């Protein structure tokens, strides 16, 4: 068993886009501006099941902070502006995953993460050059 940790920061997400939809039966056009960052801290063991196959898992803390601004207009000319904060519902969770080394330069990962309000399943195939 080997122990490891993770500190990951994804910042300066600044996403902008336009949305065309219908609200209350009227055509609506909205401009959205998202700005947020996320931070994750994890700790856990890595266990070698057999050669080239590992499992890992443990607890994590995940924080998301940011805001969304939108400006919309109805076909009738009414303009509305909204702004709200982005905050995670739960910060503590757990993860479990597996790593299979297909070759020396080609590991495959599959991981499941769970909190009280969200779940995630990820898969990665990485080619190391």
């Amino acid at each position: 068993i080997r122990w490891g940790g993770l500190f990951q920061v994804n910042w300066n997400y600044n996403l902008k886009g336009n949305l065309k939809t219908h609200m209350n039966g009227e055509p609506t056009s909205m401009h959205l501006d998202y700005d947020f960052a996320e931070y994750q801290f994890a700790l856990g063991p890595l266990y070698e099941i057999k050669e080239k196959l590992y499992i890992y898992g443990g607890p994590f803390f995940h924080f998301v902070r940011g805001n969304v601004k939108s400006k919309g207009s109805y076909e009738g000319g009414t303009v509305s502006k909204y702004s709200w904060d982005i905050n995670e519902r739960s910060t503590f969770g757990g993860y479990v995953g597996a790593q299979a080394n297909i070759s020396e330069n080609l590991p495959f990962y599959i991981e499941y993460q769970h909190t009280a309000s969200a779940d995630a399943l990820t898969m990665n195939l990485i080619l190391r050059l």
Side-chain angles (χ1 to χ4, degrees):
I1 292 180
R2 291 185 285 175
W3 286 85
L6 167 85
F7 171 64
Q8 178 175 300
V9 178
N10 295 311
W11 70 90
N12 203 20
Y13 282 121
N14 193 313
L15 308 171
K16 296 180 183 196
N18 294 308
L19 172 68
K20 292 188 180 191
T21 186
H22 283 79
M23 293 180 73
N24 301 323
E26 293 185 46
T28 304
S29 178
M30 299 184 81
H31 176 75
L32 301 169
D33 187 357
Y34 294 85
D35 187 21
F36 64 96
E38 62 182 324
Y39 311 88
Q40 190 170 41
F41 307 91
L43 179 67
L46 173 74
Y47 178 73
E48 185 174 4
I49 297 174
K50 63 179 192 172
E51 188 177 345
K52 299 182 182 182
L53 183 61
Y54 304 87
I55 60 170
Y56 58 90
F60 69 82
F61 287 97
H62 189 183
F63 304 94
V64 179
R65 298 286 190 263
N67 61 58
V68 178
K69 295 176 185 170
S70 71
K71 182 178 179 182
S73 61
Y74 295 102
E75 193 170 89
T78 306
V79 175
S80 58
K81 294 181 182 181
Y82 301 97
S83 179
W84 61 94
D85 291 330
I86 298 172
N87 290 307
E88 71 287 327
R89 288 188 181 172
S90 57
T91 58
F92 182 73
Y95 67 99
V96 62
Q99 173 186 342
N101 293 334
I102 297 168
S103 71
E104 186 177 326
N105 295 330
L106 193 63
F108 172 74
Y109 298 89
I110 184 166
E111 183 174 305
Y112 173 71
Q113 296 181 5
H114 173 76
T115 68
S117 62
D119 294 287
L121 177 65
T122 63
M123 290 181 266
N124 298 295
L125 182 62
I126 300 172
L127 175 61
R128 294 184 180 134
L129 302 174

